[in-house]
Amino acid sequence: MSNLKIAIQKSGRLSDDSIKLFKECGIKFEVGKSKLKSTSRNFPADFLFLRDDDIPGYVEDGVADVGIVGENVLVEYGKDVDTAKALGFSKCRLSLAVPREVDYPGIEYFEGKSIATSYPNLLKKYLDKKGVNAQIHIISGSVEIAPGIGLAEGVCDIVSTGGTLLSNGLKEVEEIFQSEALMISNKGLSDEKRVLLESLLFRINAVQKAQSHKYVLLNAPNAKIDDIIRVMPGMRSPTITPLKQEGWSSIHSVLKESDFWENIETMREAGAEGILVIPIEKMIS
Ligand code: PRT
Ligand code: ZN
């Protein structure tokens, strides 16, 4: 049986979270500074450590079967691959920015102006959609310094906190694309490889689901159980066990973290006590 070849970024903003994801899925492999390839000890996978820009092309060509890459890079390079899953990390946006002192009127500001970027395709598509003609200067790094050195009047760059723009005297004026890390896969995977990808996605789903849920335990007077379980339905239904103290029960259930605080208030108002909230490591429903 041949191993699933998985391309991940060698070092950079995607690598730590990519490695963490596979570790949380129980897939063990060595990571070393000088390593270009590593075979997992307990899952039929070979990991290839690459520059993020090369990952979409390698997955398209089948050098790798799957890969993790930013949506910004995938769309910029326009490679023909499948998106297997959005992974929710390395979130960022691609934005247009101008010097802070510019009194920005709207996108028409860029008509006839020059813009420095490492994302010419995404930028061109956006400007065309808006009917704006601008000169695009392609530069591969430190885009944010372009206006300061007179190379361009604006920039189109990746922003996450906004700190880089701020410290270079720039302000964000248009958000043109939102991105997160994606798992991509080759379009012509063999049946055998597809089975491996499915089993990998099954594990990733279990990890992601666990991260978005909490296990909640609490004590409640028996008369209030119905009020409380209305807001904590659980996976199938909550578990209710009697306490030694007459008239009280312990309720156990699983809650989505996003609903959590609102529901905790309702439970407290209904008489819940001793509420414990516990992280879940894996969740398979
Ligand atoms: O060496 P290699 O080619 O593999 O890596 P790289 O240097 O090209 O990419 P890397 O590691 O910087 O980013 C990999 C991916 O992470 C990107 O393609 C995005 O999908 C995602 N990502 C998330 C980011 C950022 N956040 C980010 N903040 N990529 C880049 N930045 C840079 C941005 O270019 C700017 O210089 O960080 C600066 C802005 O950050 P803030 O926080 O100051 O706004
Ligand atoms: Zn890169």
Side-chain angles (χ1 to χ4, degrees):
M1 190 164 102
S2 51
N3 284 356
L4 190 69
K5 290 173 285 176
I6 304 174
I8 59 176
Q9 190 189 26
K10 184 167 171 50
S11 82
R13 286 186 167 85
L14 290 159
S15 23
D16 287 351
D17 284 337
S18 303
I19 292 165
K20 187 164 134 244
L21 178 68
F22 291 108
K23 300 253 142 124
E24 285 167 344
C25 289
I27 298 174
K28 296 187 171 143
F29 61 101
E30 301 284 331
V31 189
K33 270 211 169 86
S34 58
K35 268 189 185 302
L36 296 176
K37 192 179 154 186
S38 167
T39 298
S40 169
R41 281 179 270 141
N42 61 354
F43 189 89
D46 293 330
F47 288 85
L48 312 177
F49 305 106
L50 301 167
R51 284 201 58 197
D52 69 339
D53 311 71
D54 296 333
I55 291 175
Y58 281 161
V59 171
E60 182 182 56
D61 298 345
V63 173
D65 300 312
V66 302
I68 294 180
V69 72
E71 202 170 347
N72 51 316
V73 168
L74 177 67
V75 176
E76 178 62 26
Y77 286 94
K79 299 291 182 186
D80 194 20
V81 297
D82 285 332
T83 296
K85 184 146 192 69
L87 298 173
F89 58 81
S90 294
K91 285 193 173 164
C92 58
R93 53 197 188 270
L94 184 67
S95 291
L96 282 161
V98 297
R100 199 169 26 218
E101 59 280 7
V102 168
D103 187 13
Y104 182 73
I107 189 69
E108 64 273 17
Y109 171 80
F110 289 100
E111 183 65 39
K113 298 236 173 18
S114 61
I115 308 170
T117 190
S118 309
Y119 294 89
N121 295 325
L122 276 166
L123 175 57
K124 173 131 192 359
K125 211 184 284 171
Y126 183 80
L127 293 175
D128 286 351
K129 195 175 79 192
K130 297 284 176 185
V132 171
N133 280 302
Q135 255 185 314
I136 300 178
H137 276 293
I138 306 172
I139 49 179
S140 59
S142 304
V143 170
E144 63 280 353
I145 64 167
I149 59 172
L151 188 68
E153 290 152 295
V155 303
C156 173
D157 198 10
I158 299 290
V159 183
S160 101
T161 61
T164 304
L165 292 181
L166 196 68
S167 61
N168 285 279
L170 300 171
K171 63 177 177 189
E172 190 175 358
V173 291
E174 306 279 346
E175 179 180 301
I176 77 170
F177 190 80
Q178 284 188 336
S179 177
E180 66 181 287
L182 300 179
M183 172 154 291
I184 55 172
S185 62
N186 177 271
K187 289 207 145 169
L189 287 186
S190 64
D191 290 348
E192 193 183 48
K193 294 270 173 93
R194 231 164 251 292
V195 169
L196 291 179
L197 174 59
E198 285 308 318
S199 106
L200 176 61
L201 292 173
F202 176 82
R203 293 187 189 202
I204 293 175
N205 286 335
V207 168
Q208 286 188 337
K209 205 151 185 207
Q211 284 166 351
S212 61
H213 288 74
K214 297 284 176 210
Y215 191 75
V216 179
L217 301 92
L218 55 84
N219 295 328
N222 288 345
K224 297 292 185 178
I225 290 176
D226 286 345
D227 293 343
I228 293 173
I229 64 176
R230 212 166 290 137
V231 293
M232 48 190 304
M235 288 171 78
R236 184 175 292 275
S237 75
T239 306
I240 301 173
T241 40
L243 293 189
K244 190 153 188 303
Q245 186 180 335
E246 194 79 15
W248 281 75
S249 294
S250 163
I251 307 177
H252 300 200
S253 194
V254 171
L255 274 185
K256 245 193 170 169
E257 177 144 39
S258 49
D259 303 336
F260 176 68
W261 289 110
E262 193 188 329
N263 288 321
I264 288 292
E265 280 309 311
T266 315
M267 291 169 209
R268 274 166 48 88
E269 279 159 22
E273 292 180 0
I275 303 171
L276 300 179
V277 179
I278 299 169
I280 302 170
E281 197 178 292
K282 307 284 185 290
M283 183 166 159
I284 297 154
S285 47

